[in-house]
Amino acid sequence: MFNVFEIQFMFFDMILQWDSSDTDFRFRYDPENNTCSSTEKGRPSRFMTKKNYNQKTAIGHKKELSRVFSEDYEVVEKTIFDPRGPDISRWNKLFLVACLISLFVDPLFLYLPQAKKGLCMTVSLPLEIDLTIIRSVVDVFYVLQIFFRFRTAYVAPSSRVFGRGELVIDPSKIASRYLHKDFWLDIIAAQPLPQVLVWSVIPKLNGSPMVPTKNILRLIIIFQYLLRLYLIYPLSSQIIKTTGVVTATAWAGAAYNLMLYMLASHVLGATWYLLSLERQEECWRKVCSLPTLDCRYEYFDCRSVGDPARASWFNASNISSLCDPISNFYQFGIYANALRIGITSAGFFEKYFYCLWWGLKTL
């Protein structure tokens, strides 16, 4: 015989575990409305009174949900993306590829300046145009990422203690959370700083002795590069949290890790090239500062090659012999080899692959 308490316990347990072939009953407590409800569509919960059910049915189309479980997300309009859904998963992988392309393109801007045979500096215009187009296309993905972040739900921190995340789908709450966390980092990372610098700022500094200003501009580009590099790690963590792995196969994972190693060599080689070019220019400026010569820094701009005053200075300065790496006039250090074989005045592919090899060798 069962006593009254055992019968009540068995009846309550049967209610919580009840399931049938044509229904899917899930019990959930709504802390915002202080009511118990069922996620089954079109059928009242056993824990709801008939009056409450009729009221909920009458206003069901007017009420805007602010929280929803991931498995109930299909009942919500598709204006907000599920962070664990297939759409955001595909976008995160596509955006990761765009980030890697951006990290590869940005160091190529360091190859824009080059030395000419007439001992002058210029900028490779075809390379500048190509890099500007590619970088602008990649920047569009960063702008789209900001849009997706404003339209992607997030898991309410208060619901994580139960082991089952509750998605916040209120656009105002999503926007407020994003603006207080990562929005400013994303907006800085999306700025076309290299394009603005190479087309608008740096051309106005050609031939001027404002070396500290050029260093500040270079630091701005490096800062944005490091910021974009930082944004890869939370993006990779989000992909791993959603799908379990960044890549689907072991070979793809090995290629991904090898690409990160090659990227480090790429950045190191591009930096070594630019510093080699700066050492060469410093040697020219040292020759120009000799008291016996009538020299101006504008002579190192290739647009002044046809100037008769520059031609007379060039013939009287003996700058070619003084700035030779085997000369003791200026110590080039680890950059002597680049100047000895003429990397600073070589074609793009020749100097790129040599600098990449130097970066791999150094690492």
Side-chain angles (χ1 to χ4, degrees):
M1 294 296 295
F2 298 96
N3 55 36
V4 177
F5 296 102
E6 291 177 341
I7 293 175
Q8 291 178 350
F9 179 79
M10 294 174 59
F11 179 74
F12 185 77
D13 185 67
M14 291 173 60
I15 291 176
L16 292 181
Q17 298 182 5
W18 175 69
D19 187 14
S20 61
S21 59
D22 59 342
T23 60
D24 181 16
F25 178 80
R26 289 191 296 270
F27 172 70
R28 180 162 68 95
Y29 174 72
D30 190 353
E32 296 182 355
N33 299 324
N34 196 23
T35 58
C36 297
S37 61
S38 169
T39 58
E40 181 186 357
K41 183 177 181 181
R43 184 167 181 171
S45 169
R46 298 189 182 189
F47 295 92
M48 295 176 59
T49 63
K50 184 176 181 180
K51 180 180 180 181
N52 291 338
Y53 174 72
N54 293 335
Q55 292 176 353
K56 183 177 179 181
T57 305
I59 65 174
H61 296 287
K62 298 181 180 180
K63 181 180 178 181
E64 182 179 356
L65 297 176
S66 63
R67 290 187 178 185
V68 66
F69 285 116
S70 182
E71 59 267 31
D72 300 325
Y73 185 76
E74 63 271 6
V75 301
V76 183
E77 295 181 0
K78 296 301 182 180
T79 56
I80 302 297
F81 297 97
D82 184 358
R84 292 165 290 194
D87 295 334
I88 290 297
S89 178
R90 285 192 294 267
W91 165 253
N92 286 338
K93 292 182 179 180
L94 180 62
F95 183 60
L96 178 62
V97 174
C99 291
L100 294 176
I101 294 176
S102 172
L103 294 178
F104 175 79
V105 171
D106 285 1
L108 295 179
F109 280 92
L110 302 181
Y111 291 99
L112 287 178
Q114 59 181 351
K116 292 295 186 179
K117 299 296 184 179
L119 300 182
C120 62
M121 296 287 180
T122 187
V123 176
S124 177
L125 184 59
L127 180 62
E128 187 175 9
I129 295 175
D130 295 339
L131 293 180
T132 300
I133 295 175
I134 298 174
R135 171 62 192 259
S136 300
V137 172
V138 175
D139 289 342
V140 175
F141 286 88
Y142 282 87
V143 176
L144 292 176
Q145 171 69 0
I146 296 176
F147 167 77
F148 277 104
R149 291 293 299 273
F150 273 115
R151 309 303 298 176
T152 302
Y154 66 93
V155 178
S158 59
S159 66
R160 294 176 181 174
V161 295
F162 300 104
R164 183 186 182 194
E166 194 176 33
L167 296 180
V168 177
I169 60 173
D170 187 0
S172 61
K173 294 181 180 180
I174 296 173
S176 177
R177 181 176 182 267
Y178 181 44
L179 289 173
H180 286 83
K181 290 191 66 176
D182 301 328
F183 172 74
W184 300 108
L185 296 179
D186 291 341
I187 201 69
I188 295 175
Q191 298 301 313
L193 294 183
Q195 300 95 303
V196 174
L197 293 177
V198 299
W199 288 103
S200 301
V201 180
I202 294 181
K204 298 179 181 179
L205 302 177
N206 283 341
S208 66
M210 300 175 61
V211 177
T213 304
K214 293 184 179 181
N215 292 334
I216 293 175
L217 297 177
R218 188 183 306 113
L219 289 177
I220 293 175
I221 297 178
I222 295 176
F223 169 75
Q224 190 185 39
Y225 183 85
L226 295 178
L227 179 59
R228 291 193 170 190
L229 181 63
Y230 163 76
L231 292 178
I232 283 185
Y233 292 99
L235 180 62
S236 302
S237 301
Q238 180 65 28
I239 294 176
I240 294 175
K241 187 183 299 184
T242 304
T243 61
V245 291
V246 177
T247 56
T249 62
W251 283 106
Y256 176 73
N257 294 325
L258 179 61
M259 183 171 57
L260 294 179
Y261 179 77
M262 296 291 292
L263 183 63
S265 305
H266 168 59
V267 174
L268 187 61
T271 305
W272 178 71
Y273 167 80
L274 184 63
L275 293 177
S276 301
L277 198 65
E278 288 188 351
R279 292 300 183 275
Q280 188 175 18
E281 186 180 9
E282 287 181 6
C283 181
W284 296 350
R285 291 176 180 271
K286 185 177 180 180
V287 174
C288 187
S289 62
L290 294 177
T292 58
L293 297 174
D294 184 14
C295 175
R296 292 179 296 175
Y297 290 147
E298 289 80 3
Y299 289 165
F300 304 131
D301 190 344
C302 287
R303 290 176 295 183
S304 64
V305 172
D307 189 355
R310 184 190 186 277
S312 60
W313 165 81
F314 180 79
N315 296 327
S317 63
N318 197 23
I319 187 174
S320 300
S321 301
L322 292 176
C323 290
D324 192 283
I326 62 176
S327 175
N328 295 326
F329 178 77
Y330 186 86
Q331 300 298 324
F332 291 97
I334 63 173
Y335 311 104
N337 192 34
L339 302 177
R340 186 179 301 110
I341 62 179
I343 289 298
T344 57
S345 59
F348 170 72
F349 289 103
E350 181 180 353
K351 62 184 178 184
Y352 169 73
F353 285 111
Y354 184 87
C355 294
L356 179 64
W357 172 82
W358 186 90
L360 290 171
K361 180 185 67 173
T362 304
L363 289 179

